[in-house]
Amino acid sequence: RAGMAGAALSRVPAVQIDGHGVFKYVLLRVRGDGAPHKDIVRGHGWAEYHADLFERTAEELARHGLSCECLGGGRLAHRPEERKIHVYGYSVGFGRADHAVTTEKLKAEYPDYEITWADEGY
């Protein structure tokens, strides 16, 4: 079981965000039975609330036998023409995500971007 959960976990992309714009994001901790956890970032403009991102991702993960918890949220300002992403803000429902963790995840996905974060702003 742990082997299957680990394989499913390894296929979960660490980052899935919209290609441009300002939108809400959540930092999620994904787990499988007996497998180690993995933190992932999800951010999309279609989400009116942080909970929308969490619920849709939780449903997708559940189909692969994985569960997740929300570690917090915030906003992303993605400016691909400038190769910049700024991480800031918080989620009223889930609290502020650890933007430093989110920034590291984004840097791994966008190595040629300038990625900054701040605890200020909403």
Side-chain angles (χ1 to χ4, degrees):
R1 262 183 96 77
M4 284 172 55
L9 197 60
S10 71
R11 289 191 293 272
V12 176
V15 174
Q16 285 182 334
I17 64 170
D18 284 355
H20 69 281
V22 175
F23 43 85
K24 294 181 171 151
Y25 92 89
V26 288
L27 182 63
L28 304 173
R29 178 156 291 163
V30 182
R31 299 180 195 281
D33 271 356
H37 68 264
K38 174 179 181 176
D39 293 345
I40 64 170
V41 175
R42 295 293 182 267
H44 300 289
W46 54 256
E48 190 175 349
Y49 301 103
H50 290 92
D52 298 335
L53 294 165
F54 171 68
E55 288 162 10
R56 183 176 294 185
T57 305
E59 287 169 13
E60 289 170 6
L61 292 169
R63 289 197 283 270
H64 302 284
L66 300 171
S67 62
C68 68
E69 64 177 304
C70 188
L71 302 178
R75 290 178 185 263
L76 298 177
H78 187 180
R79 297 193 299 276
E81 66 285 349
E82 299 173 41
R83 302 188 99 60
K84 288 183 180 178
I85 299 174
H86 184 60
V87 183
Y88 67 100
Y90 60 92
S91 161
V92 172
F94 296 115
R96 177 179 285 117
D98 186 336
H99 296 328
V101 171
T102 300
T103 298
E104 289 309 306
K105 300 276 173 202
L106 291 168
K107 282 181 177 172
E109 197 72 21
Y110 296 92
D112 55 344
Y113 268 56
E114 178 188 334
I115 300 175
T116 56
W117 67 273
D119 277 337
E120 290 77 52
Y122 176 78

